[in-house]
Amino acid sequence: MAKDMLLADQSFLAFRDLLFRGEVRAGQLVSIAELVEKTGFPLAPVREAVKHAESAGLVRILPKRGVLVIEPTPDTIRSCFHLRCMLDQEGARILAARLGEAPMRALREEHAAVRDQAFSGITPELQQWAMAVDWKLHLALAGALGNPLAAGVYASNHDRITVLQQSRRLLPERIIPAMDEHLRIIDAVLAGREEDAMRAVRAHLSGTLRWWGIGLYEEG
């Protein structure tokens, strides 16, 4: 039994890695047989992995059809990023109340370095670096909450956003605005301006959703 559970855990991580790399993409319908082939794990642990992925909100199991990866619909995108924003705001407020911390100064330097390099020219390597730096700030904000329950929610949402992001190509023109938005969050945190930090997080959400071509709220 323990061995089966270990295989199921390994199978889930392998499946999640496929999703994170975009080898199985958001909105794609894939069969269990395909996942067995792609992950290299036996049928039983793959089935367990798919159930785990469904409970994490990464996929939906469609009986007799296959496994549907989370779809990049406006409602799904809006919900995932809005959830991140709500938790980020509280994290930013907490960090600002502490007048920032040493890691925030290092994050500021790294964001500024990405932004400066982007002005000189954007390469695929810079795009990957920018995305990694982007997530560093969000994870730092989440970590400031010091709440295990919130951490679990944030981690699951992080996985969903990572899969959704694979459905779109990286846009070079988004790097500088995103770094600017992050720098405003960091500067407000380091200056101890709690309300400004929270406001900057909300502005970043608006900028992110504009990049996706959707608004924060549905009209009409």
Side-chain angles (χ1 to χ4, degrees):
M1 184 69 173
K3 182 178 179 181
D4 289 342
M5 290 304 296
L6 180 60
L7 282 175
D9 291 342
Q10 292 175 347
S11 180
F12 171 72
L13 293 176
F15 180 30
R16 191 179 65 173
D17 193 45
L18 291 173
L19 294 171
F20 284 5
R21 296 200 307 267
E23 293 185 31
V24 179
R25 302 182 68 83
Q28 181 178 344
L29 183 65
V30 61
S31 70
I32 295 291
E34 288 177 284
L35 293 178
V36 167
E37 180 179 353
K38 288 178 179 292
T39 63
F41 284 89
L43 178 61
V46 168
R47 282 178 172 163
E48 290 301 315
V50 167
K51 291 178 183 177
H52 185 173
E54 184 174 47
S55 68
L58 295 174
V59 304
R60 282 195 297 137
I61 299 173
L62 304 181
K64 298 183 180 180
R65 293 183 59 194
V67 179
L68 180 65
V69 180
I70 183 173
E71 298 179 272
T73 65
D75 282 345
T76 297
I77 293 165
R78 187 182 297 110
S79 295
C80 288
F81 283 101
H82 189 211
L83 174 58
R84 185 178 75 174
C85 175
M86 289 191 292
L87 295 171
D88 281 355
Q89 283 186 92
E90 179 62 5
R93 185 195 66 77
I94 291 170
L95 285 173
R98 298 173 186 164
L99 291 179
E101 295 178 344
M104 296 300 290
R105 298 189 183 282
L107 275 174
R108 193 193 192 290
E109 292 179 3
E110 196 165 10
H111 276 77
V114 170
R115 185 178 183 277
D116 290 346
Q117 188 168 325
F119 277 119
S120 300
I122 295 173
T123 63
E125 292 75 20
L126 178 62
Q127 289 178 296
Q128 292 298 329
W129 183 25
M131 183 172 289
V133 170
D134 185 288
W135 270 114
K136 280 185 182 181
L137 175 62
H138 289 292
L139 294 174
L141 296 175
L145 298 174
N147 184 324
L149 295 178
V153 170
Y154 204 96
S156 294
N157 198 50
H158 168 276
D159 288 353
R160 289 190 289 270
I161 290 176
T162 300
V163 175
L164 290 170
Q165 286 175 328
Q166 288 293 337
S167 68
R168 296 198 69 189
R169 67 180 181 86
L170 294 174
L171 297 180
E173 60 270 26
R174 175 60 183 151
I175 291 179
I176 293 174
M179 292 299 107
D180 284 340
E181 291 161 16
H182 275 214
L183 284 167
R184 282 191 282 273
I185 296 170
I186 294 170
D187 286 344
V189 165
L190 290 173
R193 300 193 308 270
E194 298 177 35
E195 290 299 323
D196 286 348
M198 296 173 72
R199 191 176 298 113
V201 171
R202 293 194 294 272
H204 179 49
L205 169 63
S206 296
T208 299
L209 292 180
R210 281 196 299 273
W211 176 70
W212 282 90
I214 61 178
L216 179 56
Y217 302 108
E218 291 181 320
E219 297 180 0

